[in-house]
Structure formats: C-alpha cells, structure tokens
Amino acid sequence: MATPAGHHPDQPYAEEKRMRIGGATVLLTGATGGIGQTLARALKARGARLLLTGRREDVLRPLADRLGARAIVADLADRAQVERLIAEAAETDILVANAALPASGEVLGFAPEELDRALEVNLRAPLQLTRALAPRMVAAGSGHIVMVGSLSGRTASPGAALYNAAKFGLRGFALGLRQDLYGTGVGVSVVQPGFVRDAGMFADSGATPPAGVRTVSARQVAAATLRAIERDRAEVNIAPLELRLGSALGGLFPSLAAAAQRGAGADRTTRRMAEGQRDKR
C-alpha cells in the first residue's frame, strides 16, 4: 500500500493512538544492569506500574523496593524460567526487552554452551516474551514492544560476530513485527545505542571507544526509549551523528566499513571489551 504524501514511514498515522506510559504495566528485562536501572527510574517517573526482572536477586529486590515495583527473579538463559516469567507478567501492557549478555570476542573462542547462552538471552528470550505477551495487547487494542538493541545490529564489527548476530536478529524481528501488527494499536520499536559511557556492557568492560568516536549516556538511552514508546517510532539510534552515519553506511557497504574500522582501531576496542567481559558471559 502506498504511503500517503507527506507521511514519514517511521511516524504513526494521525488516527492511530499513541501509547501512554502512565498507568501502564511495564515489564522491563535486564533491570539490574546500569542501563536497566536508569530505564526503570525513567519509566517510574512517567507513572508506569513496573515489573522488573533480572537474575541478580541481591540487586533486583532493593531496586524494586525503592521504586515500588514488583520483582521477578529470572535467568533468561533458562527456558523454564522464561516461561515462568511469562506467566507472572501476563498483565504486561508494555514490554521493554533490555536484557543482554556480553558476547564480544572471536567466535572460535566460545564454548558451545557460551554460544547457546548468549543467543538464548540476547535473541530467543525477547522473541519468546513478545510472542507470548503480544496477543493480550492486540486483544486490548493497545500496547508497545521495545527491543533494546545496539548499533551493532546495523553494521558488523571485528570481534563481535556473535553479538552482531543477536542484534541484527532483534532489529529484523522488531521491524518485521511492526509491519505485522500495523493497525492493531500495538507499536513495536527497536532502540539502538552506540557506545554508552557510564553504564552497560561497554562501560563495565573498561574499554575505550575507537579514536574520534564519541559516546552517549544511559540517561540518553532511557529518554530515547520513552520517546520510542510515546511517539511509536520504528527505530531510534542513540549515538553522535558520525557514528549514526557510519553505521548506516556500514549496512550498505560492509567491505568499506570493515576497512574504516580497521583504520580506526575498532579491533583493539573489541579485544579490550572481550577481555573485560570474559568472566561475565
């Protein structure tokens, strides 16, 4: 179907309802990480009823208590625990799939069980949560699903093939599902940060970005996530202009992007990230 003149394809049509966070029940995965905690505070400030999940109970329960939220301890690498989470979060109006495991490093250096665990958490779990929770949203004619991905889902990087695989998959799933759910009142977004300086896997690894590459803050990621929900944006990329342009061009010209990344020292960055993440896989 042709797009009406003057309408940007990433914007909702005027007659479509926009999602209100205030009063909605929001399931946030990966709530115990630095970005997850920032997201939780931002969602609470908008008036959300929060369901927070993560595998670190010692971090999750105090966070939930501070925010007046419900804590659901779950390891998304365990399929039985994912099913239990689905049952306990059946009333979800907004899903923010933020959980992720570190997956930097040469693929040949991963044990088979590490490959499985990374793909379970970073790709399968958000898809399964969506498949289980979306029908209720569709029946209600209202809801929103956010996949928190990465610019690694737009262009590949050295030493990040497994992470790229998951994030490319999340992006494709979100954009395809958005088309499937068009007209139902349920929106779907993918939010893709670049290098986050103060929280998250990159910051935790102790690595530094390639020369000349700027970073963003966890608060910017949270603000972009709220914007994606409230404005029904298909894709929101949170990074300085040069990184956003580079990732877009990298998707179109992968060989050129690979050469540019080698010149900028991207391989050194991912090597440092892998070293810093090795005990967190």
Side-chain angles (χ1 to χ4, degrees):
M1 183 174 68
T3 300
H7 179 262
H8 191 282
D10 283 356
Q11 305 299 322
Y13 290 103
E15 66 270 16
E16 290 187 351
K17 294 183 294 183
R18 292 191 176 186
M19 189 70 200
R20 293 181 59 86
I21 296 173
T25 298
V26 180
L27 173 61
L28 171 64
T29 72
T32 56
I35 293 174
Q37 293 187 44
T38 303
L39 279 166
R41 290 191 292 270
L43 288 161
K44 179 63 176 180
R46 280 290 205 278
R49 294 193 297 265
L50 288 174
L51 305 177
L52 303 180
T53 185
R55 59 191 175 96
R56 293 187 292 161
E57 185 172 6
D58 60 324
V59 179
L60 183 66
R61 294 204 182 278
L63 174 66
D65 289 343
R66 287 196 301 273
L67 297 178
R70 181 181 168 201
I72 306 173
V73 180
D75 182 350
L76 299 188
D78 183 326
R79 295 189 180 188
Q81 292 190 46
V82 172
E83 291 300 324
R84 175 175 56 78
L85 173 60
I86 288 167
E88 293 190 33
E91 71 272 28
T92 296
D93 301 309
I94 299 172
L95 168 64
V96 181
N98 167 68
L101 276 182
S104 295
E106 300 289 341
V107 171
L108 300 185
F110 279 81
E113 58 270 20
E114 290 176 322
L115 287 170
D116 289 342
R117 183 171 177 80
L119 290 174
E120 287 283 339
V121 175
N122 295 349
L123 185 57
R124 186 188 184 277
L127 270 62
Q128 184 64 11
L129 287 167
T130 299
R131 173 61 189 86
L133 298 174
R136 176 184 176 276
M137 301 180 198
V138 171
S142 177
H144 205 92
I145 297 159
V146 180
M147 299 289 152
V148 180
S150 166
L151 286 187
S152 294
R154 289 174 61 84
T155 187
S157 302
L162 180 57
Y163 194 66
N164 288 142
K167 297 306 182 181
F168 269 71
L170 274 185
R171 181 173 185 258
F173 176 74
L175 296 180
L177 182 65
R178 181 180 173 87
Q179 296 189 53
D180 290 348
L181 297 185
Y182 177 78
T184 66
V186 180
V188 184
S189 304
V190 59
V191 173
Q192 300 178 133
F195 294 104
V196 182
R197 61 178 168 267
D198 54 349
M201 290 185 291
F202 172 73
D204 292 346
S205 74
T208 55
V213 174
R214 295 179 293 157
T215 60
V216 295
S217 69
R219 291 181 66 180
Q220 287 175 281
V221 177
T225 303
L226 299 184
R227 189 165 65 249
I229 296 168
E230 294 175 333
R231 301 182 186 177
D232 191 21
R233 296 293 178 86
E235 182 172 14
V236 181
N237 301 310
I238 314 101
L241 178 61
E242 65 274 13
L243 195 53
R244 284 184 279 128
L245 289 175
S247 67
L249 290 172
L252 294 172
F253 307 106
S255 295
L256 181 62
Q261 290 185 65
R262 285 192 295 270
D267 57 335
R268 292 190 295 273
T269 296
T270 52
R271 188 163 55 248
R272 294 190 193 105
M273 287 178 64
E275 291 168 356
Q277 295 172 352
R278 188 165 290 120
D279 62 345
K280 299 173 184 176
R281 290 179 184 170

